Amino acid sequence: MVDILRPARPLRVVKDVDVCVVGAGPAGLGAAIGAARCGARVALIERHAFMGGNFTAASVGSVCGLYYKNGGSFEHVVGGVVDEIVGKLKSQAKAIGPIPFQESAILLYVPWSAKRLFDDLISSEENVDLFLHAVVSEVVVEGGHLQAVVVSSKQGPVAVTAKAFVDCTGDGDLVFFAGGETVMGGPGQRQHASMQFFLQNADQNVALTRGIPNFGEIIAKHGQHLSRDAGALIPTFRPGEFIGAMTRVTNPDGTPIDITDLDQGTWAEIHGRALAEEAARFVIEEVPGFSGAFLSDCAPNVGIRESRRVIGQYVLSGKDVLEGARFEDPVACGAWPQEYHNQGRSTNYVHLPEGSYYQIPYRSLLPLGFDNLFVAGRCISADFDALASVRVMAPSMALGQAAGVGAYLLARHGKAPYADLRDLLETSGAKLG
């Protein structure tokens, strides 16, 4: 095949703002709200028809990284926008936590309710202009300064210009398109994907008392054919509904999916749905409480844990995570164990010492070589072992808020010094450690 050249043509600018946030997952929501509430005019660009990322599109069903164990109780290790969203879900009886899990704790939630909450939150922010069904395919950059992002739309390519940009794509797309430095681990050094699925009409009492407590033994005895040797059946607290988290989506040769590759991304979605069907059939046949259940759907897309990682001014390390590192420029904290989905069918956990948490530095949100570009979420500047902890949803949202506030400062004042960022984050209720 030969490359083709397309003719150059001017792009219509559909929005000129202070801060452009690309990706409306947990990090992007944090970034857009953080910047807007400081007074920035924000464009929030999302490729799906709804917001939430792994909260909704991957239907994770549990928020990880929200708590750390302190003595005999669990306390929030992140704050700010995260606390607001958790509080609203709980007030609607659509979330419950902390639920102890793996020497830490999780928050269980209803994905549909999170989807509608995000609609309401962003719609109520007067300073945010939201674009759904919008895929960023290019950037306009000169000398390390981003001028615009190019958005594919049904009317053709258009542009959004801004003074500052926040890459919350999860895949480091803006940094990659702009020629920045990124890395993607190979087999054994990149997390595998999963496909969540929904079961309806389960007998909730039997499932919670006889099925789920014995789930691990049932898989070990009867589930050797499944793609994963463990997992969870997560109650959504809607009658008879559970989310199945028990698949491992790989390439046919067992290597991790590269979601940035068209062929591999297509395989992952189709194969992921087949694995979800297989796992659901197993649950219905083998797990008490599910004999009358049925597979109602799977998540809108496969859940990606890791793809590109950006190289920033500081690369957070696995050593930092396990040793509870402290920094001179913290913007958020993390305490989730290092959770590895990278070998075979098993999931492995490396736990932080009890009562421990680590800080995440501002410098990990600043990609090398750019003067107006920030990054947040699972593509921040972190090594493979650090990302095994920091990639989860609660710290991603907190890091998004920090990046959004930093982008606001840069857009309005031409610089974003840490001292000013710290003051604004602390005022908003963020936990910096």
Side-chain angles (χ1 to χ4, degrees):
M1 290 184 289
V2 297
D3 294 336
I4 62 172
L5 295 176
R6 62 179 184 180
R9 59 172 173 170
L11 293 174
R12 179 169 63 94
V13 175
V14 294
K15 193 66 64 175
D16 177 46
V17 293
D18 297 315
V19 175
C20 177
V21 178
V22 181
L29 288 164
I33 293 170
R37 290 183 181 173
C38 287
R41 190 70 190 175
V42 178
L44 177 59
I45 300 173
E46 169 57 44
R47 65 189 178 94
H48 284 107
F50 52 88
M51 294 170 281
N54 280 346
F55 244 108
T56 52
S59 300
V60 172
S62 60
V63 177
C64 302
L66 182 62
Y67 307 102
Y68 81 107
K69 196 171 185 178
N70 187 17
S73 64
F74 294 102
E75 297 182 13
H76 281 211
V77 72
V78 293
V81 173
V82 184
D83 277 346
E84 178 181 348
I85 287 172
V86 169
K88 287 181 181 294
L89 287 171
K90 282 187 170 184
S91 71
Q92 299 169 6
K94 302 301 183 184
I96 185 171
I99 305 295
F101 178 80
Q102 287 291 338
E103 299 185 30
S104 183
I106 58 176
L107 177 91
L108 304 184
Y109 71 94
V110 180
W112 163 257
S113 300
K115 186 183 292 186
R116 287 295 295 124
L117 173 61
F118 301 150
D119 286 345
D120 292 341
L121 272 176
I122 294 301
S123 296
S124 67
E125 293 291 339
E126 294 183 358
N127 283 342
V128 178
D129 290 308
L130 174 65
F131 294 98
L132 299 175
H133 299 289
V135 178
V136 171
S137 58
E138 297 177 61
V139 300
V140 179
V141 59
E142 184 174 346
H145 185 84
L146 267 68
Q147 299 173 335
V149 294
V150 179
V151 179
S152 297
S153 78
K154 291 290 187 178
Q155 296 180 341
V158 295
V160 175
T161 57
K163 298 181 179 68
F165 297 81
V166 187
D167 186 338
C168 298
T169 62
D171 303 310
D173 289 347
L174 297 194
V175 177
F176 180 78
F177 295 154
E181 190 174 354
T182 64
V183 63
M184 189 183 297
Q189 289 290 307
R190 186 164 83 249
Q191 301 265 1
H192 289 302
S194 290
M195 178 66 85
Q196 308 287 82
F197 58 91
F198 291 86
L199 288 165
Q200 306 280 358
N201 202 45
D203 185 325
Q204 193 147 328
N205 289 333
V206 175
L208 292 174
T209 57
R210 292 175 45 208
I212 292 174
N214 301 307
F215 189 45
E217 292 180 19
I218 295 169
I219 290 182
K221 186 175 181 179
H222 302 290
Q224 294 300 316
H225 63 292
L226 297 175
S227 62
R228 188 169 161 187
D229 65 5
L233 294 169
I234 303 168
T236 68
F237 304 99
R238 298 197 292 190
E241 182 179 77
F242 287 77
I243 297 174
M246 48 183 295
T247 63
R248 176 142 300 161
V249 184
T250 70
N251 287 310
D253 62 0
T255 57
I257 296 294
D258 175 2
I259 199 63
T260 70
D261 179 272
L262 280 174
D263 288 330
Q264 293 186 41
T266 301
W267 161 263
E269 301 294 354
I270 294 173
H271 184 52
R273 288 190 282 273
L275 293 177
E277 192 170 49
E278 175 187 65
R281 185 182 307 115
F282 170 83
V283 173
I284 292 167
E285 292 174 354
E286 301 290 347
V287 181
F290 290 90
S291 60
F294 62 91
L295 173 65
S296 63
D297 206 348
C298 67
N301 64 236
V302 70
I304 299 297
R305 293 182 173 90
E306 180 178 356
S307 58
R308 301 187 191 108
R309 289 178 273 116
V310 168
I311 303 300
Q313 294 182 13
Y314 183 85
V315 179
L316 188 72
S317 71
K319 183 172 181 285
D320 292 332
V321 167
L322 292 178
E323 294 184 353
R326 299 294 187 265
F327 297 97
E328 61 186 15
D329 58 342
V331 291
C333 297
W336 188 247
Q338 291 172 318
E339 179 185 349
Y340 292 99
H341 298 253
N342 64 312
Q343 299 288 348
R345 298 170 62 236
S346 298
T347 303
N348 300 308
Y349 293 86
V350 179
H351 299 283
L352 280 64
E354 185 170 333
S356 174
Y357 63 87
Y358 57 93
Q359 294 176 324
I360 306 154
Y362 185 29
R363 288 162 292 158
S364 288
L365 311 186
L366 303 176
L368 291 176
F370 301 97
D371 63 12
N372 68 334
L373 177 57
F374 300 77
V375 64
R378 63 175 170 82
C379 55
I380 68 164
S381 181
D383 69 14
F384 170 70
D385 293 301
L387 198 72
S389 169
V390 77
R391 64 177 172 79
V392 293
M393 290 195 289
S396 289
M397 187 167 286
L399 292 171
Q401 183 175 358
V405 173
Y408 153 77
L409 287 169
L410 183 65
R412 285 296 175 91
H413 305 293
K415 57 183 179 179
Y418 174 71
D420 294 345
L421 174 61
R422 178 196 61 216
D423 291 345
L424 288 172
L425 289 175
E426 288 179 341
T427 299
S428 73
K431 297 182 185 297
L432 308 184

